[in-house]
Each structure stands twice: as C-alpha cells, then as structure tokens.
Amino acid sequence: MRRLAAVACALGLLAAACGDDAAAPPSPVTPSSTTTTDSTSTPSSTTTPSSTTAAPAPTTDAADGCVAEETEKRTFVDDTRSTPATETAAELANRTLEVWIDRPTAPGPWPLIVFAHGLTGHPRSHELHRRSLAEQCFVVVAPAFPLTNNDVPGAWSNAGDVPGQIGDVSFLIDEVLADVGLASFVDGDRIGMIGHSLGGLTTAGAAVSPDADARISAAVVMSAGFVEARADLPVMVLHGDNDTLIPIATGAAAYAVLPGRGVFVTLLGGDHLAGIIDDDSDYGSVVRGVTGAFFALELDNGDGTVEDLFDLPLDLASIEARSDDGPFADWSDYFVA
C-alpha cells in the first residue's frame, strides 16, 4: 500500500527517537472492559453507558465554550486484527485499545478528534490538552496503543507497529460512530486527528497520507513529519526549534509538501515535549490554543477567530500559514479568511 510505503519512509526519517514521555512517569491504570468501564469483557459491538456519565446539559454555543464531562475510560477490542509478537510478549489474536474519552456535557453533536500519543507515551500524558479540547466543544478519544504506550514492557522497541496503529484509528472511528451512548454527541461528518511524535507519524498515515481514512478532514502533526499529503486535508504542523530528538527540519519538510491549506507553528526554544506533554506553562497555552483554533475553524465548530489567538503568549511561537493558492503574507489571515 502507498500509505504503508510512506510510513516506512517516515520511520526512516524519525529513526528511533520518537519517545514523547520522558517527563511523564507511568501511573496505575484502572482496568476497563470492552466498551464498558468495569472489568467484565463484552463484545466490541456492545456499549454500556459509563457510570461517570452525567445527564446531558442543554447545548452550549461552541464560541462560548463547553463544560467537559468527567473523563470516561472504555476498552474496545478488534477481533479482526492481531497484535504482533514483540521481544517481551507473544502474538495476540486481537487488538485491544484502552480509550480515554473526553466530551462536552452538552449533546451537540460535536466534532470528533482522535488523539494519538507517541512512543512510550500515554493518553494520561495529554490530559490538559484532551480536556482543553473538550472544553472547546470537541469529543476527544485517545487510545493507548497496544504496543507503544508506557505501560507496555519494552515499548521502545515497538515503533514498527505504526501500521497497526493506523488501523486502530479507523477501527476506533467505526466503533465511536456506531456507539449508541456517544451517538448524540458526535458528528460523523466532522472528524479530526492530532498526534505527537510517533503518534504524529500515526496521524500522518491515518489522516494525511493520500490513501488515508477520508473521514478525517483536519489533522495536527506535532514533533513529527510526513513525506506526502492529500490535497483536500488542512494540516497544522507544530514543532519546537530546540527539538533534539526529531529536528525541526523534519516538520519544516512536511509543511513544505502540503499541497493545500496548512499552518506551521514553531515553538521558539521548545524541545520535543514543550507544551505537548502535560504542563501548565505558556508553551502549553500556545499548543492548546492554536490547535483548538485550528480545529474550530477547519471542523466548523465555532468562530476560531484570530482575536482568540492573540490572547495567547505568541512571543513563544512563530507562525506561517498557507491557503490552497499559496502562502499568506500574514498568517492571521488564515483564521479569518
């Protein structure tokens, strides 16, 4: 497949330096079950409402923000694909995804965003970002990929499972759109994806590649790159210029191949993790703000105005933007055009 060839090429570009959680120590995981929140396994087509889910509140206008429901955890099992053997574990007959779900209390429907962690990363490491997006009126689903999350022994050796993770994304979208409990909250015609490091490479394959999942209509790639992109997909590339694991040249090269709409955000002085792995620094404010504004604009979920962006500490960022016709002289025109 063309998509897998692009992934293999990008893996060569990223080498083995895709770790995203040096500052995020693992913490205990509460066991969950297939599309439930207890420990009893059920078929993946069965959905049990989470015990943490409150009754929906009246719909909130996206421009005014949303109230985020308490995070829900579920497990989805794909019985049609296997999990490959690794240096520390035998092959499994299925692929099991523990998924962290953040959504507005108001029923919406709201756009769906898939959030992909990096090598030895975890959805826990992106809680502030996930919750911020939910408060900006998105439903966020963040899977812990079965071979590369930081609860997996030897996860550093499993970067080659990116093709499996790309399949996980499409499977998860299928499951969420078919889920009775989430149906009133999710607009299946407005789907975005965001990923960091190896999760950025997963985003490249699942969303950006010319033969990616066409249901995804906007993507953010953080601290990673890609070698080709489909013309109909707006993409934000975000990278720290002090990233010593994956140099910013990788992100710049990816932005350069975009055939259409896109934004390139340079975090000035930012390293591989700055503002991306949970922290309450100004870098974090920039990352959460620009990604939220990008998705708000491209997924038609509120104003996404440049005035909102100007409330951010933009002295920490350099921003470029382009339309389908070429670069904007002033990047802010992207958000008001």
Side-chain angles (χ1 to χ4, degrees), residues 11 14-24 116-122 125-126 145-162 165 195-202 222-223 245-246 272-273 277:
L11 272 172
L14 299 183
C18 295
D20 76 348
D21 67 338
H117 67 77
L119 185 61
T120 73
H122 199 280
S125 302
H126 301 282
F145 293 114
L147 293 183
T148 62
N149 78 78
N150 66 4
D151 291 325
V152 176
W156 274 108
S157 302
N158 299 335
D161 193 46
V162 169
Q165 295 184 174
H196 175 237
S197 196
L198 197 73
L201 183 55
T202 302
M222 304 184 292
S223 305
L245 290 177
I246 301 175
H272 192 63
L273 309 178
I277 299 302

Side-chain angles (χ1 to χ4, degrees), residues 315-327:
D315 56 317
L316 293 177
S318 174
I319 303 176
E320 304 173 44
R322 55 164 294 128
S323 70
D324 290 326
D325 298 322

